[in-house]
Amino acid sequence: MDGYIALVLRQPGGGYRAVFPDVDGCRAEGRSVDEALANARSEIKAHAARTARNGGTMPPPRPASDVAVLSAKHGAVAGACIHVRPVSIQVRMDRLPKSARVP
């Protein structure tokens, strides 16, 4: 199953940063690899919700088989494929007062 690839990189000052090569501006940090990945899962879901709320669409996810190739290319210490369920946004539409209705 395809998903958004998160790569975990070691930070020079300590800790780890998870980045999504296909999703600009979406990243997360943590003191450990596991914490960075957990935060990445939360962040990609929040990013997808913000994107949908603003009328945008997420880029198509890559095949999970690309995790190893991208990890090696970017020097990642870990990689994961994170799946995001489709996001639905509810829009509330109030009724117009009778005086504002068009006959």
Side-chain angles (χ1 to χ4, degrees), residues 69-94:
V69 172
L70 285 172
S71 292
K73 178 180 175 183
H74 293 279
V77 296
C81 192
I82 300 175
H83 305 283
V84 177
R85 292 183 189 187
V87 177
S88 64
I89 301 296
Q90 294 181 349
V91 178
R92 181 177 173 206
M93 298 183 69
D94 293 327

Side-chain angles (χ1 to χ4, degrees), residues 43-55 58 84 87 89:
E43 184 54 35
I44 192 70
K45 291 174 185 177
H47 186 86
R50 283 191 304 272
T51 300
R53 201 171 33 250
N54 293 329
M58 292 287 286
V84 177
V87 177
I89 301 296

